[in-house]
Coordinates of all heavy atoms in Angstrom, one line a residue:
Chain F
T88 N 193.4 51.7 -12.4 CA 193.1 51.0 -13.4 C 192.3 49.8 -12.9 O 192.1 49.6 -11.7 CB 194.4 50.4 -14.1 OG1 195.1 49.6 -13.2 CG2 195.4 51.5 -14.7
A89 N 191.9 49.0 -13.9 CA 191.1 47.8 -13.4 C 192.0 46.8 -12.5 O 191.5 46.2 -11.6 CB 190.6 46.9 -14.6
A90 N 193.3 46.8 -12.9 CA 194.2 45.9 -12.1 C 194.5 46.6 -10.8 O 194.7 45.9 -9.7 CB 195.5 45.6 -13.0
H91 N 194.7 47.8 -10.9 CA 195.2 48.6 -9.5 C 194.1 49.6 -9.4 O 194.2 50.8 -10.0 CB 196.5 49.2 -9.7 CG 197.6 48.2 -9.9 ND1 198.1 47.3 -9.0 CD2 198.3 47.8 -11.0 CE1 199.0 46.5 -9.5 NE2 199.1 46.8 -10.7
W92 N 193.2 49.4 -8.4 CA 192.0 50.3 -8.3 C 192.4 51.8 -8.0 O 191.8 52.8 -8.4 CB 191.0 49.8 -7.3 CG 190.4 48.5 -7.6 CD1 190.5 47.9 -8.9 CD2 189.9 47.5 -6.7 NE1 190.0 46.6 -8.9 CE2 189.6 46.3 -7.6 CE3 189.6 47.4 -5.5 CZ2 189.0 45.2 -7.1 CZ3 189.0 46.3 -4.9 CH2 188.7 45.2 -5.8
I93 N 193.4 51.9 -7.2 CA 193.8 53.3 -6.8 C 195.3 53.5 -7.1 O 195.9 54.3 -6.5 CB 193.4 53.8 -5.4 CG1 193.7 52.6 -4.3 CG2 192.1 54.3 -5.3 CD1 193.4 53.1 -3.0
G94 N 195.7 52.8 -8.2 CA 197.0 53.1 -8.7 C 198.1 52.4 -7.9 O 197.9 51.5 -7.1
T95 N 199.3 52.8 -8.4 CA 200.6 52.1 -7.8 C 201.6 53.3 -7.3 O 201.4 54.4 -7.7 CB 201.3 51.3 -8.7 OG1 201.7 52.2 -9.9 CG2 200.5 50.2 -9.2
D96 N 202.4 52.9 -6.3 CA 203.4 53.9 -5.8 C 204.7 53.9 -6.7 O 204.7 53.3 -7.8 CB 203.7 53.7 -4.3 CG 204.4 52.3 -4.1 OD1 204.8 51.7 -5.1 OD2 204.6 52.0 -3.0
Q97 N 205.7 54.5 -6.2 CA 206.9 54.7 -6.9 C 207.7 53.4 -7.3 O 208.5 53.4 -8.2 CB 207.9 55.5 -6.1 CG 207.5 57.0 -6.1 CD 208.1 57.7 -4.9 OE1 207.8 57.3 -3.8 NE2 209.0 58.7 -5.2
L98 N 207.4 52.3 -6.5 CA 208.0 51.1 -6.7 C 207.0 50.1 -7.4 O 207.2 48.9 -7.5 CB 208.6 50.5 -5.5 CG 209.6 51.3 -4.8 CD1 210.2 50.6 -3.5 CD2 210.8 51.5 -5.6
G99 N 205.9 50.7 -7.9 CA 204.9 49.8 -8.6 C 204.1 49.0 -7.6 O 203.4 48.1 -8.1
R100 N 204.0 49.2 -6.2 CA 203.3 48.4 -5.4 C 201.8 49.0 -5.4 O 201.6 50.2 -5.5 CB 203.8 48.7 -4.0 CG 205.2 48.0 -3.8 CD 205.9 48.3 -2.5 NE 206.0 49.8 -2.2 CZ 206.9 50.2 -1.3 NH1 207.5 49.5 -0.6 NH2 207.0 51.5 -1.1
D101 N 200.9 48.0 -5.2 CA 199.4 48.4 -5.3 C 199.0 49.2 -4.1 O 199.2 48.7 -2.9 CB 198.7 47.0 -5.3 CG 197.2 47.3 -5.4 OD1 196.8 47.9 -6.4 OD2 196.5 46.8 -4.5
T102 N 198.6 50.4 -4.3 CA 198.3 51.3 -3.3 C 197.0 50.8 -2.4 O 197.0 51.0 -1.2 CB 197.9 52.8 -3.9 OG1 199.0 53.1 -4.7 CG2 197.7 53.8 -2.8
F103 N 196.0 50.3 -3.1 CA 194.9 49.8 -2.4 C 195.4 48.8 -1.3 O 194.9 48.8 -0.2 CB 193.9 49.3 -3.3 CG 192.6 48.6 -2.6 CD1 191.8 49.5 -2.0 CD2 192.3 47.3 -2.7 CE1 190.7 49.1 -1.3 CE2 191.1 46.8 -2.1 CZ 190.3 47.7 -1.4
S104 N 196.1 47.8 -1.8 CA 196.6 46.7 -0.8 C 197.3 47.3 0.4 O 197.3 47.0 1.5 CB 197.5 45.7 -1.5 OG 196.7 45.2 -2.6
R105 N 198.2 48.3 0.0 CA 198.9 48.9 1.0 C 198.2 49.8 2.1 O 198.5 49.7 3.2 CB 200.0 49.9 0.4 CG 201.2 49.1 -0.3 CD 202.2 50.0 -0.8 NE 203.0 50.6 0.2 CZ 204.0 50.1 0.9 NH1 204.2 48.8 0.8 NH2 204.7 50.7 1.8
I106 N 197.0 50.3 1.6 CA 196.1 51.0 2.3 C 195.4 50.0 3.4 O 195.4 50.4 4.6 CB 195.1 51.9 1.7 CG1 195.8 53.2 1.1 CG2 194.0 52.2 2.5 CD1 195.0 53.9 0.2

Side-chain angles (χ1 to χ4, degrees):
Chain F
T88 61
H91 301 283
W92 299 342
I93 40 181
T95 59
D96 69 7
Q97 289 155 296
L98 297 179
R100 298 174 295 198
D101 182 57
T102 306
F103 179 64
S104 303
R105 289 182 67 75
I106 281 167

